[in-house]
Amino acid sequence: MKFCMNCGKTVSRKMPAGDNRERFICESCSAIHYQNPKIVVGCVPEQDGKILLCRRAIEPRRGFWTVPAGFMELGETVAEGAARETREEACAEVEIGHLFASVDVIEAGQVHMFFTARLLGGYGVGEETLETELFAREDIPWTEIAFLSGRFALEKYLEDGGRNNGVHLHRVRHGE
Amino acid sequence: MKFCMNCGKTVSRKMPAGDNRERFICESCSAIHYQNPKIVVGCVPEQDGKILLCRRAIEPRRGFWTVPAGFMELGETVAEGAARETREEACAEVEIGHLFASVDVIEAGQVHMFFTARLLGGYGVGEETLETELFAREDIPWTEIAFLSGRFALEKYLEDGGRNNGVHLHRVRHGE
């Protein structure tokens, strides 16, 4: 951030009064610009014991497989966001179940939240996807999973075996 | 947002290519400025069956009681954020337990995540707090709780009775 989004003047990095860390502040209009982690919402859609994965058509990790997931938008709940991402990436409707994993990706400034989900009907290939496929548990392409957070989610999903064992918290070191 | 934080030119509201909703975009430097929900992290610190609440010294809801909670910062995990907020607001150290509630506050563009916590040692009064007190279950000041999300968290915390029943998802309509 170089310029104030309120008034267009240059911002500087200073600690506001009453705060305990530096922020981008505008000395022209006094605006303080906070920067906070973003939420990624995703789900593990299941149908007849198989799991729906998407092969990414975009970077990062183009060509690798992932559960449907993406940035949460304003105006939706976390569960609605996970369902929307599945609609966009896999052209599939899901019934969202329970939250079972929350992964801190500190270096990327992100928190990844994963839900169980029941795949309702068919699926297709969204704009950001090369192909979409239902994988039996033993056929999951573990060496071609795009992100550590999604790999963790898949592992815990299978360990839970459908039970709600609460949320598995995890931290991964890199955006990958 | 009126100005581009990268180049200082005016931004406009348009749908980027390949997107499905309008964003703030800069036609001068082509930057797309996404706006996403922010995460509030909090906990319910318990000690000897009593719950630690803080009376707010700042707006909104000055004078009302709340569990320790606040905006998650870059560079920390959700659990670390909940512990930090407790340190700042109640001068108290906690051992964070499990995530038990996630509340969507859509109109405020926020997701509030609440953890169980064990209060370690004493407590005090942080800069944004008027007073801090341990409440027995029957003495919780229900009519003076600051926010609907915190009220939901307290209710579910007591219903769970220490068990990890997974995450209670909820949506509240207003920032209050």
Side-chain angles (χ1 to χ4, degrees), chain A residues 2 5 23 36 73, chain B residues 2 5 23 36 38 73:
Chain A
K2 300 194 192 82
M5 60 184 92
R23 314 283 181 181
N36 303 88
E73 300 278 3
Chain B
K2 300 192 192 83
M5 61 184 91
R23 313 285 180 182
N36 302 88
K38 289 177 187 285
E73 300 278 3

Side-chain angles (χ1 to χ4, degrees), chain A residues 1-8 18 20-21 23 34-39 71-78 84 88 99 102 104 106 109 111 113 115 127 164-167 169 171, chain B residues 1-8 18 20-21 23 34-39 71-78 84 88 99 102 104 106 109 111 113 115 127 164-167 169 171:
Chain A
M1 182 180 295
K2 300 194 192 82
F3 298 91
C4 175
M5 60 184 92
N6 290 340
C7 76
N20 52 21
R21 63 186 73 199
R23 314 283 181 181
Y34 297 93
Q35 295 187 307
N36 303 88
K38 289 178 188 286
I39 302 171
F71 286 108
M72 184 181 176
E73 300 278 3
L74 292 170
E76 67 187 7
T77 66
V78 284
R84 175 187 51 72
E88 290 177 2
L99 183 68
S102 177
D104 297 291
I106 291 189
V111 176
M113 298 170 72
F115 290 85
E127 281 187 21
N164 185 348
N165 290 331
V167 168
L169 294 173
R171 174 184 175 168
Chain B
M1 183 180 295
K2 300 192 192 83
F3 297 92
C4 175
M5 61 184 91
N6 291 340
C7 77
N20 53 22
R21 62 186 72 201
R23 313 285 180 182
Y34 297 92
Q35 295 186 308
N36 302 88
K38 289 177 187 285
I39 302 171
F71 286 108
M72 183 181 178
E73 300 278 3
L74 292 171
E76 67 187 8
T77 66
V78 284
R84 176 187 49 73
E88 290 178 3
L99 183 68
S102 177
D104 297 291
I106 291 190
V111 176
M113 298 171 73
F115 290 85
E127 281 187 21
N164 186 347
N165 291 330
V167 168
L169 294 173
R171 175 186 173 167

Side-chain angles (χ1 to χ4, degrees), chain A residues 151-162:
Chain A
R151 164 184 285 270
F152 174 80
L154 278 171
E155 288 170 352
K156 292 301 167 187
Y157 179 84
L158 294 173
E159 280 177 29
D160 283 350

Side-chain angles (χ1 to χ4, degrees), chain B residues 9-26:
Chain B
K9 299 292 189 302
T10 54
V11 293
S12 56
R13 196 83 183 150
K14 287 194 179 162
M15 197 180 303
D19 205 338
N20 53 22
R21 62 186 72 201
E22 290 190 343
R23 313 285 180 182
F24 288 108
I25 67 167
C26 175

Side-chain angles (χ1 to χ4, degrees), chain A residues 7-26:
Chain A
C7 76
K9 299 293 189 301
T10 54
V11 293
S12 55
R13 196 84 183 150
K14 287 195 179 163
M15 197 181 302
D19 205 336
N20 52 21
R21 63 186 73 199
E22 290 190 342
R23 314 283 181 181
F24 288 108
I25 66 166
C26 176

